[in-house]
Amino acid sequence: MSAPARTETRTLTRSSPHEAVLEVRDLTVDYIGPDGAVTACKDVTLSLRRGEILGIAGESGSGKSTLITALTRLQRPPAATTSGSITFHPRDGRAGIDLVGLSPRELRRLRWSTMSIVLQSAMDALNPVMRLGDQFADVLRTHYRDLDRSGARDRTTELLAMVGISADRARSFPHEMSGGMRQRATIALALACEPELVVMDEPTTAVDVVMQRQILAQVLRLRRELGFAVVIVTHDLSLLLEVADRIAIMYAGRIVEVGTASALYRDPAHPYTRGLRDSFPPLHAPLRELRGIPGTPPDLRRPPSGCPFHPRCPVRVEACQSTLPALVPLPEQEAACLLLTSEENP
Amino acid sequence: MTVVTDVSAPAAPTTRLRVPSRWAFLARRLGFYLTAAWAAITLNFLLPRLMPGDPSVAIVDQLQRVSGRQLPPETLVSIQTLFGDPDANLAEQYLAYLGQLARFDLGISISRFPTPVADLVASGLPWTLMLVGTTTVLAFVIGTGLGVLTGWKAGGRFDAIVTPASTFISSVPYFWVALIALWVFAFELRWLPSSGGYDPDLEGPAFWLSALRYGILPAATIVFSAFGGWLLGMRNMTVTTVREEYVLLAQAKGLSPSRVVLRYAARNAMLPSFTGFALALGGVIGGALLTEIVFSYPGIGYLLYDSLTKRDYPVMQGVFLLIALTVLLANLIADSVYVFVDPRVREQG
């Protein structure tokens, strides 16, 4: 494999003392259609440190779901990764592996033991005609060749216990469990092969708010105990502000701002991030006037010229229509806004 | 049905409740099928008696036409004694009929007097079961297997060739396929016999080999005409199932492709086909009427055709009853097995 040497690890936040588990460089994903390609992710560069929780937020159609199917190499035609690299660094110190160049067989070997996924709807993510325990056993015995049936059963019991599900549930079919229990079961399933990275696609949208909190608390506790990194994708920025270490904001297929959760909450540098933050009520601060973001996300088939956010931006200037802003490093975050490069800050 | 347990109830103690609910479900179904079987038997008894006309008069007419002379009135009386008096009490007749059925007595054939109908049915049944049973299973297995392959890579090259071809094949009328096959392989090439089910001059293993040889053409034409329907149904279900999240998750788990296709995609896509397959098995007995006529195959279909042309009422009645009961039995088996194939139906009556 052509593993790119990790020469320059000057990642998004300048100080990165921790080793990265995943590095994404200039990732571009196109949907190939009869009328040409539509770019759903453009030049996405991200770095994820070991044990870190990275949130990715954005409106529907911002490219966040496209990004995670590309990250996990689960995309299906017509989606295609047209350029960029996704480098995974194993914890045993071996050289990084570029997932984009792997053959299906090599990829299968890495799946679940390095990177697992929790899908949005647990009802649809579990096979309706297989007992829960069998859905644990098949992945366990695929990746741990010498594990026998009773070993797989013991491990399943252990995994289910981690999310507070009793062992006899392994004999249940998915339809016999409640929504929250199914979602916790899929989280336990994701941890089956001790992955270094768990990707979660809207993991709590299908359950009620009480269950949401319970599930997130469990994820945080398990992350503390087991040390896996998490990429969590959601349109719910308030949820990310609570659980994520860092947050990336996507707009029209690009990352427009990325930084620590606290910085993005206290002092968002991009007008789109400010708009998102101000569109939900603060939990602990005094109430302020809520504002939505006027307009709708752009049509990716005909992206606007210059900064893709300029048609909806309240603080746009003349140059926004023609110049595409690059990510500008700031003390605690990076943001792609022309106002940050000009002398006066907004 | 009446009882629908709340599927979404969160904390149902499943392991202990599931087994009784499965049996209760089966018991309910069994009751339903016993009622249906009784109704079929009763209808089979009533229908000939409700038809206008008197079969004994028809028999006398037929005998007169064949022999070309007038028959004495005693003949009618003796026929009525033999086959049953139309003026007898209906309830008594019904009880007598049930008694006969309990002894597997289906009456006596008119056209092949005095062979009992039960004997005729028993001699045709193995041939039909072997021919149509085997081909129904074969067509299902081939069609469903190809359907999974085409559906998994829908739009691929295999799909682009096989799917239109099987659509074409399954739209060709069966009798036409059978006649062309008969003409090409039996009359032009002389590879295979043109009619019958076996060579009557042979015995032992040679007899069975001849039965196999005689069966090739009828079997091949049935499979050829029937597999396309299974293929299209399975292909379309697979195309939908492949997009399900659990198939995506199975791929994310790094399972082998064959496991993803078989245990996750095909296993779920097969559920509708399974019901169709069970019904097709029920149709096996009455099924291959055209095949057996074209190839003069000595099965139940040919027996029915023969009895229809000769107006042999007792044989017709016997065959109809057999068909009705087999369809019911196949449905019962399908229902019972489906409970194990799809765990979700257990909760619904």
Side-chain angles (χ1 to χ4, degrees):
Chain A
M1 270 302 88
S2 58
R6 293 177 54 228
T7 45
E8 194 202 21
T9 14
R10 200 190 68 92
T11 45
L12 295 171
T13 45
R14 280 173 191 168
S15 58
S16 67
H18 304 284
E19 197 194 349
V21 61
L22 195 75
E23 281 182 308
V24 180
R25 276 194 188 281
D26 301 324
L27 188 72
T28 299
V29 181
D30 288 340
Y31 284 85
I32 319 276
D35 314 326
V38 175
T39 303
C41 273
K42 180 71 178 159
D43 296 333
V44 171
T45 296
L46 275 177
S47 165
L48 185 68
R49 279 165 293 178
R50 247 161 243 295
E52 182 181 46
I53 297 187
L54 172 70
I56 299 177
E59 290 166 293
S60 309
S62 59
K64 55 192 196 307
S65 294
T66 304
L67 176 62
I68 57 164
T69 50
L71 279 189
T72 48
R73 306 295 296 142
L74 284 171
Q75 64 196 5
R76 292 167 171 172
T81 302
T82 43
S83 68
S85 66
I86 303 163
T87 309
F88 172 76
H89 299 288
R91 67 186 133 205
D92 56 17
R94 278 177 297 148
I97 304 161
D98 183 5
L99 301 180
V100 177
L102 289 188
S103 71
R105 175 187 285 271
E106 292 166 316
L107 206 52
R108 265 207 309 281
R109 225 162 33 80
L110 284 181
R111 285 191 189 287
W112 223 251
S113 51
T114 60
M115 185 196 286
S116 64
I117 185 165
V118 175
L119 293 171
Q120 189 177 137
S121 163
M123 184 65 213
D124 306 329
L126 294 172
N127 187 345
V129 298
M130 265 171 96
R131 292 182 198 278
L132 188 61
D134 293 338
Q135 306 194 38
F136 277 81
D138 67 0
V139 72
L140 285 169
R141 297 189 65 190
T142 298
H143 293 290
Y144 302 121
R145 286 279 165 202
D146 47 353
L147 195 71
D148 61 3
R149 292 171 73 93
S150 73
R153 206 162 40 235
D154 294 345
R155 175 76 178 134
T156 303
T157 304
E158 192 181 309
L159 287 162
L160 287 177
M162 289 199 295
V163 293
I165 297 176
S166 66
D168 62 338
R169 279 295 179 177
R171 304 231 350 116
S172 294
F173 287 100
H175 73 276
E176 295 168 331
M177 301 187 287
S178 68
M181 190 183 278
R182 280 195 296 263
Q183 192 58 283
R184 282 181 287 141
T186 58
I187 289 170
L189 185 59
L191 303 178
C193 300
E194 301 179 312
E196 294 172 57
L197 169 62
V198 180
V199 176
M200 298 187 171
D201 183 9
E202 310 251 4
T204 56
T205 37
V207 294
D208 61 65
V209 278
V210 180
M211 189 50 73
Q212 233 176 57
R213 294 210 66 85
Q214 205 183 329
I215 287 175
L216 287 175
Q218 249 162 7
V219 170
L220 288 175
R221 177 176 57 79
L222 291 167
R223 196 264 313 234
R224 218 165 34 242
E225 290 167 7
L226 306 172
F228 53 86
V230 178
V231 173
I232 180 166
V233 174
T234 177
H235 59 264
D236 186 352
L237 184 60
S238 58
L239 181 145
L240 286 187
L241 288 171
E242 280 188 69
V243 300
D245 300 317
R246 283 191 310 135
I247 296 175
I249 306 289
M250 284 192 81
Y251 188 79
R254 291 169 191 274
I255 289 179
V256 294
E257 181 161 6
V258 56
T260 60
S262 57
L264 257 67
Y265 181 65
R266 267 184 293 107
D267 190 17
H270 196 282
Y272 179 62
T273 315
R274 270 201 299 280
L276 280 184
R277 186 199 60 176
D278 294 342
S279 57
F280 61 87
L283 276 178
H284 306 296
L287 284 176
R288 57 164 186 262
E289 197 187 336
L290 294 182
R291 268 165 300 174
I293 307 168
T296 52
D299 182 353
L300 290 176
R301 283 169 299 180
R302 284 182 302 274
S305 61
C307 172
F309 187 58
H310 87 259
R312 301 168 74 186
C313 184
V315 293
R316 64 172 169 263
V317 295
E318 196 65 32
C320 295
Q321 286 177 39
S322 51
T323 313
L324 179 71
L327 283 169
V328 179
L330 300 167
E332 278 191 81
Q333 70 234 68
E334 290 182 64
C337 179
L338 288 182
L339 295 177
L340 298 171
T341 43
S342 58
E343 292 311 307
E344 36 164 352
N345 258 356
Chain B
M1 310 272 86
T2 46
V3 187
V4 178
T5 9
D6 184 5
V7 182
S8 62
T14 49
T15 12
R16 227 169 299 152
L17 265 179
R18 197 166 53 236
V19 176
S21 88
R22 184 188 298 174
W23 293 117
F25 174 82
L26 288 184
R28 273 204 305 278
R29 301 310 289 165
L30 196 64
F32 169 78
Y33 281 107
L34 284 177
T35 316
W38 170 78
I41 290 170
T42 308
L43 272 178
N44 201 47
F45 164 79
L46 278 178
L47 277 180
R49 286 163 176 78
L50 294 176
M51 278 196 295
D54 184 347
S56 51
V57 176
I59 294 171
V60 171
D61 285 351
Q62 206 181 346
L63 286 174
Q64 282 175 346
R65 228 177 310 124
V66 173
S67 60
R69 59 196 167 86
Q70 202 68 20
L71 293 173
E74 298 87 71
T75 318
L76 189 68
V77 177
S78 59
I79 286 174
Q80 287 182 348
T81 317
L82 195 61
F83 293 107
D85 181 3
D87 299 324
N89 180 299
L90 203 62
E92 278 172 28
Q93 285 188 46
Y94 183 54
L95 284 179
Y97 177 72
L98 290 183
Q100 279 185 350
L101 280 187
R103 296 190 304 272
F104 296 105
D105 179 359
L106 298 172
I108 297 166
S109 163
I110 297 171
S111 60
R112 303 188 201 184
F113 187 82
T115 321
V117 173
D119 288 3
L120 289 175
V121 169
S123 72
L125 198 55
W127 296 100
T128 292
L129 280 180
M130 287 299 288
L131 176 69
V132 193
T134 318
T135 51
T136 304
V137 173
L138 262 182
F140 175 76
V141 170
I142 294 174
T144 305
L146 290 176
V148 172
L149 292 180
T150 51
W152 181 251
K153 289 266 157 72
R157 196 186 300 169
F158 185 70
D159 180 41
I161 296 168
V162 172
T163 305
S166 53
T167 312
F168 172 73
I169 289 171
S170 57
S171 62
V172 179
Y174 172 75
F175 70 90
W176 193 81
V177 172
L179 288 175
I180 292 292
L182 198 60
W183 178 62
V184 172
F185 295 104
F187 292 107
E188 290 295 320
L189 298 171
R190 296 187 171 280
W191 288 351
L192 296 161
S194 63
S195 73
Y198 50 89
D199 188 335
D201 303 331
L202 298 172
E203 271 178 45
F207 171 82
W208 292 110
L209 279 178
S210 86
L212 209 59
R213 228 169 80 77
Y214 275 78
I216 289 176
L217 261 191
T221 53
I222 295 178
V223 173
F224 182 79
S225 284
F227 87 95
W230 296 118
L231 187 149
L232 295 177
M234 191 62 188
R235 176 191 178 272
N236 293 342
M237 273 313 292
T238 307
V239 168
T240 352
T241 311
V242 161
R243 294 199 204 103
E244 294 285 347
E245 298 259 282
Y246 53 77
V247 177
L248 187 73
L249 194 78
Q251 285 172 324
K253 280 155 101 180
L255 305 180
S256 69
S258 62
R259 194 172 179 85
V260 176
V261 173
L262 296 177
R263 291 296 303 276
Y264 286 78
R267 176 73 174 71
N268 281 283
M270 230 188 70
L271 296 177
S273 284
F274 180 82
T275 312
F277 176 59
L279 294 180
L281 280 184
V284 160
I285 298 296
L289 197 68
L290 273 176
T291 316
E292 295 186 7
I293 294 170
V294 171
F295 295 99
S296 308
Y297 201 79
I300 297 288
Y302 193 72
L303 181 67
L304 178 62
Y305 168 72
D306 194 48
S307 68
L308 281 168
T309 52
K310 293 175 181 159
R311 292 181 178 265
D312 193 337
Y313 287 100
V315 174
M316 274 189 251
Q317 223 181 334
V319 172
F320 285 144
L321 184 66
L322 185 69
I323 291 175
L325 292 183
T326 350
V327 170
L328 283 177
L329 183 69
N331 272 290
L332 172 64
I333 294 174
D335 263 4
S336 322
V337 177
Y338 200 84
V339 171
F340 297 91
V341 176
D342 187 349
R344 286 166 295 186
V345 300
R346 275 169 218 169
E347 273 72 15
Q348 296 143 27

